[in-house]
């Protein structure tokens, strides 16, 4: 996770299109220092939970597919989470490793009760196959074995996931420097913690090492809060809903500057309140603010990473 922090800081310090506003960070930190708005992990009631290994399997499949909903204006994370939950309730073997390797696009659509092709459907199916194959090859077909092998370390879990599953290798090159973001690998650790309430499969001794999960909602909320400022060309791209290519300077800056800004916010709130503040808690709060704001304008990038 140190690579995520340091490479995001490097981007923020060399950014051309996104500026981190220290006064904006100060204002937000001052406003919430005494009471970070608490958001329950499953506040929508959309996730599968049975307090056992099947929940871990569900969350890993969910986070393998948790990206790029915006091209279909009717689709959201909620549809994916609740659709997979219902599929598992109807058939407990739906996410067995051998079955994950065989799903087709139309079958995934049917599982989610979606009437048309999903955004990046071929990539979603490819990632289901990848997850099934590698779980079978290295972890006895079970995501719970993957989690057990990390020794209650969220950092080790992220390292294991990115080592074994190429579809989670969320890194890129910016102005000649390698940048690491690892959104979906980190969010799996956070989802385990939230789902199991920090116990059993959700117990991590180093959860404070996890950063925020750089997606398209959090940067938009940070901009609205005055924490991020965009160049006029980037503002125009976002407002006009123009697509921003994956790996472009603008796209990397939006994500990396969000990580950097929230790390600075977390440090400042900790200093002001004298209490440990977790990035995962700040992320959940920012994300919940964004999802409850229908007019929120976010950048649009076709990506399997978020």
């Amino acid at each position: 996770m140190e690579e995520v922090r340091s490479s995001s800081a490097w981007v923020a310090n060399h950014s051309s299109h996104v500026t981190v506003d220290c006064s904006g960070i100060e204002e937000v930190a001052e406003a919430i220092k005494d009471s970070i708005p608490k958001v329950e992990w499953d506040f929508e009631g959309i996730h599968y939970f049975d307090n056992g290994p099947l929940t871990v399997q569900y969350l890993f499949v969910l986070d393998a597919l948790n990206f790029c909903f915006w091209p279909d204006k009717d689709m959201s994370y909620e549809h994916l989470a609740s659709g997979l939950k219902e599929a598992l309730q109807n058939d407990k073997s739906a996410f067995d490793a051998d079955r994950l390797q065989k799903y087709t696009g139309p079958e995934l659509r049917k599982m989610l009760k979606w009437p048309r092709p999903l955004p990046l459907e071929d990539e979603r199916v490819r990632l289901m196959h990848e997850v099934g194959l590698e779980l079978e090859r290295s972890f006895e077909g079970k995501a719970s074995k993957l989690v057990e092998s990390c020794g209650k370390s969220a950092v080790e879990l992220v390292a294991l996931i990115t080592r074994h599953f190429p579809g989670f290798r969320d890194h890129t090159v910016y102005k000649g420097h390698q940048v690491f973001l690892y959104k979906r690998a980190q969010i799996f650790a956070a989802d385990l913690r939230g789902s199991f309430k920090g116990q059993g499969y959700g117990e991590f001794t180093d959860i404070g090492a996890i950063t925020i999960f750089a997606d398209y909602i959090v940067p938009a909320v940070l901009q609205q809060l005055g924490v991020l400022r965009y160049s006029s060309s980037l503002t125009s791209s976002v407002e006009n809903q123009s697509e921003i290519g994956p790996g472009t300077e603008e796209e990397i800056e939006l994500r990396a500057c969000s990580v950097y800004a929230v790390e600075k916010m977390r440090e400042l709130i900790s200093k002001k309140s004298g209490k440990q503040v977790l990035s995962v808690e700040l992320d959940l709060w920012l994300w919940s603010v964004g999802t409850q704001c229908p007019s929120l304008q976010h950048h649009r990038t076709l990506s399997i990473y978020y």
Side-chain angles (χ1 to χ4, degrees):
M1 294 306 92
E2 207 36 60
E3 290 177 330
V4 176
R5 285 182 171 79
S6 60
S7 63
S8 293
W10 196 92
V11 172
N13 290 321
H14 296 82
S15 180
S16 306
H17 309 276
V18 180
T19 306
V20 177
D21 189 319
C22 293
S23 62
I25 292 174
E26 175 74 44
E27 279 177 34
V28 175
E30 188 61 36
I32 66 170
K33 70 174 191 292
D34 297 321
S35 173
I36 296 168
K38 282 283 176 208
V39 180
E40 279 300 312
W41 177 77
D42 190 24
F43 67 92
E44 321 95 323
I46 55 175
H47 297 95
Y48 178 86
F49 185 71
D50 70 349
N51 203 33
L54 203 52
T55 296
V56 183
Q57 196 86 352
Y58 161 81
L59 290 172
F60 197 49
V61 173
L62 171 64
D63 288 328
L65 304 179
N66 178 7
F67 58 86
C68 207
F69 303 105
W70 64 262
D72 188 325
K73 64 180 174 53
D74 297 321
M75 190 173 210
S76 68
Y77 170 77
E78 189 172 324
H79 294 107
L80 178 68
S82 56
L84 295 178
K85 172 185 178 179
E86 192 176 330
L88 199 52
Q89 286 171 331
N90 293 334
D91 178 0
K92 292 288 191 279
S93 67
F95 301 147
D96 284 4
D98 58 335
R99 289 186 62 184
L100 287 172
Q101 295 171 60
K102 295 173 187 155
Y103 280 111
T104 63
E107 285 170 343
L108 177 57
R109 240 179 278 163
K110 187 179 174 187
M111 184 190 289
L112 299 177
K113 297 193 166 101
W114 205 248
R116 51 190 173 271
L118 300 158
L120 298 180
E121 183 172 277
D122 290 349
E123 286 295 282
R124 286 186 153 92
V125 169
R126 181 181 70 78
L127 291 169
M128 286 178 91
H129 294 176
E130 179 186 283
V131 163
L133 181 64
E134 188 56 24
L135 283 178
E136 188 172 76
R137 186 162 54 194
S138 300
F139 301 99
E140 299 171 40
K142 299 183 189 314
S144 56
K145 295 288 182 189
L146 164 68
V147 176
E148 285 164 12
S149 62
C150 79
K152 298 190 190 307
S153 166
V155 173
E156 180 57 25
L157 180 59
V158 171
L160 269 175
I161 291 169
T162 53
R163 190 180 310 143
H164 283 274
F165 301 90
F168 283 85
R169 289 176 195 159
D170 179 10
H171 52 77
T172 186
V173 176
Y174 173 84
K175 295 183 179 178
H177 281 250
Q178 191 86 36
V179 178
F180 303 89
L181 294 160
Y182 295 147
K183 185 250 178 179
R184 291 193 289 103
Q186 290 198 80
I187 212 169
F188 177 55
D191 285 348
L192 287 165
R193 176 180 179 265
S195 181
F196 287 92
K197 302 199 181 312
Q199 303 297 311
Y201 290 113
E203 184 186 349
F204 298 104
T205 56
D206 57 357
I207 196 67
I210 297 292
T211 70
I212 62 148
F213 319 120
D215 60 2
Y216 42 90
I217 300 291
V218 171
V221 174
L222 291 173
Q223 189 216 13
Q224 209 170 57
L225 292 171
V227 170
L228 296 184
R229 303 203 180 279
Y230 299 172
S231 67
S232 56
S233 61
L234 178 55
T235 300
S236 169
S237 294
V238 172
E239 287 177 353
N240 296 330
Q241 301 185 350
S242 306
E243 209 172 298
I244 296 171
T248 57
E249 284 187 7
E250 291 90 338
E251 188 249 355
I252 297 166
E253 289 175 16
L254 282 161
R255 300 184 71 206
C257 288
S258 296
V259 172
Y260 176 75
V262 177
E263 283 303 301
K264 290 290 162 202
M265 192 188 297
R266 181 184 61 77
E267 288 167 11
L268 195 54
I269 296 168
S270 290
K271 196 171 163 186
K272 285 174 179 285
S273 68
K275 297 173 191 161
Q276 187 198 20
V277 178
L278 298 176
S279 294
V280 292
E281 293 171 342
L282 290 172
D283 181 274
L284 188 54
W285 167 60
L286 290 164
W287 188 79
S288 67
V289 168
T291 56
Q292 290 162 44
C293 180
S295 62
L296 191 74
Q297 291 189 304
H298 61 75
H299 74 281
R300 291 161 186 260
T301 296
L302 284 171
S303 172
I304 67 165
Y305 296 120
Y306 64 101

